[in-house]
Amino acid sequence: FGSRAAPRTPSSALRGLVPQLVAMPIGHAAAAAAGAAAGRRGRRARANRTRQTRAAAARTAAYRAQRKRAEELRALLRKFDANKSGVLEENELRELLTSLNTNPPDQDELDYIMKLCDVDPTDGAINVVELEHAVEAWKVYCTKRTDLEEDFAKFDLSGSGKLEKDELKSYLVHLNEGIDVDDDEVDWVLSQADVFNKDGACSKPELVMATAAWYTHVQEKEQSK
């Protein structure tokens, strides 16, 4: 005789129905089984509808939040667009950033935000699309501003307002908990940070990028071990 497949073990729900089905007449047992199957299908359908409803509600909420944010940005631009040009020029952006943080940006910080966020540098202004990035970048920068100023003053031994290569190396050794840093690593960090002035030194705003580049470098070294 050919080998028979092993009988499947009934699910716990079905095992619970077995005594009832055995005691029922055949017609009633079939109807009960069909009813149980229909109940399972109904529960699955309701669960699917619930998931779809929640997903639709989440999409609607996200869309409304996006529209609200866009209107807030348009209102912000209108408020500081003194010459009604539809964009924020450098002096207007300075006023806006000052309103977000009582200390006004210095020229290096303003240049940093302009160059970071002005997608079309030929117009020298920030439009409503670029404004969101400018506002967020300035807020993030301001959260680190005090620490940056303290570190900058500590390592800017020449008082030039920039960290030269040897000063940047001292700063990276500080981040590296006193462990020496290779010159090649300093050159790489400087190449990642000196993207605005391109003067072979690191300005205060560029120190944000230098710090981020260093920690990225350290993380990659750890992962490669």
Side-chain angles (χ1 to χ4, degrees), residues 22-194:
V22 169
M24 288 183 183
I26 292 177
H28 289 180
R40 289 193 296 272
R41 289 194 297 271
R43 287 191 293 274
R44 285 196 295 268
R46 287 192 295 274
N48 286 335
R49 285 195 296 271
T50 299
R51 285 193 294 269
Q52 291 169 357
T53 300
R54 289 175 179 170
R59 288 193 298 270
T60 299
Y63 174 71
R64 288 175 177 169
Q66 187 177 22
R67 287 193 61 183
K68 181 181 178 182
R69 179 59 175 159
E71 182 51 44
E72 290 172 348
L73 289 169
R74 285 192 291 270
L76 195 60
L77 189 144
R78 287 193 298 268
K79 179 179 179 180
F80 290 92
D81 181 17
N83 62 4
K84 309 303 179 185
S85 63
V87 294
L88 295 183
E89 293 159 8
E90 188 174 287
N91 62 320
E92 296 167 334
L93 181 63
R94 186 194 301 274
E95 293 296 323
L96 185 152
L97 298 181
T98 302
S99 75
L100 299 176
N101 184 281
T102 52
N103 295 323
D106 62 28
Q107 191 59 47
D108 280 346
E109 291 169 333
L110 189 60
D111 289 343
Y112 167 73
I113 296 297
M114 287 290 293
K115 291 176 181 178
L116 186 67
C117 305
D118 187 11
V119 177
D120 180 12
T122 60
D123 63 3
I126 298 293
N127 61 36
V128 71
V129 176
E130 297 162 341
L131 183 57
E132 181 170 23
H133 189 193
V135 168
E136 293 305 316
W138 178 243
K139 287 181 178 179
V140 170
Y141 177 81
C142 286
T143 62
K144 303 294 183 183
R145 200 181 196 187
T146 301
D147 291 340
L148 281 172
E149 288 174 346
E150 291 176 356
D151 286 340
F152 208 86
K154 180 179 178 181
F155 292 97
D156 180 20
L157 300 180
S158 64
S160 65
K162 298 179 183 295
L163 295 189
E164 307 296 337
K165 181 179 174 179
D166 59 330
E167 295 169 332
L168 178 61
K169 181 173 182 176
S170 297
Y171 173 68
L172 295 180
V173 170
H174 164 69
L175 294 183
N176 206 32
E177 298 180 346
I179 300 172
D180 195 28
V181 175
D182 293 340
D183 286 343
D184 287 346
E185 293 176 306
V186 180
D187 288 337
W188 181 81
V189 169
L190 189 56
S191 73
Q192 299 299 304
D194 184 23

